[in-house]
Amino acid sequence: METLLIGDAAGVRTITINRPDAMNAVDERVTSELQDALKQTERDRFIRCLVLTGAGRAFCAGQDLKSVQERTAEGQPIDFAETLRRRYNPIILKLRTVEIPVIASINGVAAGAGWSLALACDLRIASRAAKFVSAFTKIGLVPDSGMTLTLPRVVGLSKALEIAWLGDALSAEEAHRLGLVNWLVEPEELASRTMELARRLAGSAPRGLGLTKRAMNAGILNPLEDQLNYEADLQGIAGRTQDHREGVAAFIEKRAAEFKGE
Ligand code: T3D
């Protein structure tokens, strides 16, 4: 694995997205390796709990915008509907369907699809240094990777729209208050508190935990699959706009975007 660190201890597998210089932004290799790592985790019967985290000061900054801009500059149009279905949606579905507890250990910023990844996990423990940024609207896109289902289910429709539309960063404290994070801990305690929780879950009856997840999933899994497809359709439209290209260029050039509705 080039972009992931994978470690096992006492029945707990930890997958760390390891592109710290890019705030663990997700390129083709990350999604491909994450898909493989999740499939392997499901096959490894001795793994009883999975932890997902990020290296350095970010959890995950979502899609790698530099690779998006490079491809656009090379004249290779990206079909976001296709890339979501092929790259992101299988990861979100696997996080929900693997019948072991999945903990997001949120060490720093979670933005765009990076936040969606955390929302697709079963439990979230966050460092007080973490923050949450929807990010999609700022580059003319639609929240994806399940966020349009997972976020309003936790915070309600109006708050979800506020978060998505305004795109303001949510502090770890605010995310905890809203129920988006189960536990909030000091940065230096995150790793040990995560392992304490993971070991406790790994020591529980695995079949019972897995079936509990299956039962709790029952009400959301079919809607999630439909919603992932629907998000992909909408992202296909948003991804073809001039405003999206302007949003990405503005982010990379570190300036305010000028959106024209085109
Ligand atoms: O199918 C498809 O492909 C479509 C799918 C889309 C899914 C998505 O996730 S869309 C959303 C993509 N993500 C974003 O728009 C987030 C962009 N990043 C940010 O808003 C901010 O960087 C953060 C809030 C994450 C962190 O802010 P801050 O101030 O702590 O750090 P920074 O200075 O902005 O970033 C540090 C470096 O990381 C910087 O590089 P540099 O200037 O030092 O060389 C920055 O460019 C880089 N970086 C951060 N996010 C990304 C990134 N590089 C590439 N892609 C990123 N997403």
Side-chain angles (χ1 to χ4, degrees):
M1 297 277 176
E2 273 181 33
T3 63
L4 303 181
L5 300 172
I6 299 182
D8 295 346
V12 178
R13 173 156 299 162
T14 302
I15 299 180
T16 306
I17 305 176
N18 187 32
R19 299 188 70 215
D21 294 345
M23 308 284 279
N24 301 319
V26 175
D27 61 7
E28 282 274 345
R29 189 164 285 278
V30 174
T31 39
S32 149
E33 292 189 349
L34 209 40
Q35 285 188 19
D36 289 347
L38 291 175
K39 277 187 209 146
Q40 189 56 47
T41 300
E42 194 170 42
R43 281 194 290 265
D44 290 340
R45 308 306 295 178
F46 59 94
I47 295 299
R48 295 190 172 184
C49 183
L50 172 65
V51 173
L52 184 62
T53 190
R57 72 181 181 94
F59 175 74
C60 173
Q63 170 60 34
D64 186 319
L65 297 180
K66 289 174 184 164
S67 67
V68 167
Q69 207 193 34
E70 273 166 27
R71 284 193 55 184
T72 312
E74 286 163 7
Q76 299 177 43
I78 301 178
D79 177 353
F80 284 161
E82 184 276 328
T83 60
L84 282 177
R85 289 196 172 94
R86 176 175 54 81
R87 295 178 51 212
Y88 286 90
N89 294 359
I91 293 171
I92 300 300
L93 286 170
K94 189 60 82 187
L95 289 171
R96 293 285 352 117
T97 52
V98 62
E99 288 192 354
I100 55 172
V102 181
I103 303 170
S105 180
I106 307 166
N107 51 306
V109 64
W115 189 3
S116 307
L117 273 181
L119 282 167
C121 295
D122 299 313
L123 299 168
R124 283 160 287 285
I125 179 166
S127 148
R128 285 187 190 277
K131 64 177 177 174
F132 300 83
V133 190
S134 159
F136 297 95
T137 309
K138 288 204 170 135
I139 52 167
L141 293 184
V142 179
D144 62 26
S145 304
M147 189 185 279
T148 61
L149 184 142
T150 49
L151 187 62
R153 288 222 171 191
V154 180
V155 301
L157 180 59
S158 183
K159 190 71 189 176
L161 283 170
E162 177 196 319
I163 289 169
W165 279 345
L166 299 184
D168 294 333
L170 229 61
S171 66
E173 282 78 11
E174 181 69 351
H176 185 233
R177 195 184 63 74
L178 288 169
L180 288 161
V181 161
N182 300 77
W183 299 274
L184 200 54
V185 299
E186 298 304 325
E188 62 278 11
E189 288 178 353
L190 181 67
S192 61
R193 292 284 298 277
T194 301
M195 276 314 284
E196 202 179 295
L197 173 66
R199 285 203 168 111
R200 190 171 151 197
L201 289 162
S204 296
R207 196 82 178 116
L209 261 54
L211 292 174
T212 303
K213 179 166 174 176
R214 194 191 297 181
M216 297 247 186
N217 268 338
I220 65 154
L221 262 191
N222 288 342
L224 176 62
E225 199 156 5
D226 288 346
Q227 194 70 6
L228 288 168
N229 274 317
Y230 191 51
E231 285 176 348
D233 288 341
L234 298 180
Q235 203 70 294
I237 298 170
R240 285 190 290 276
T241 61
Q242 178 56 39
D243 279 349
H244 167 57
R245 283 191 286 280
E246 163 63 7
V248 173
F251 171 74
I252 287 168
E253 291 159 23
K254 301 185 193 290
R255 60 172 173 81
E258 280 185 52
F259 294 123
K260 299 202 165 90
E262 293 161 8

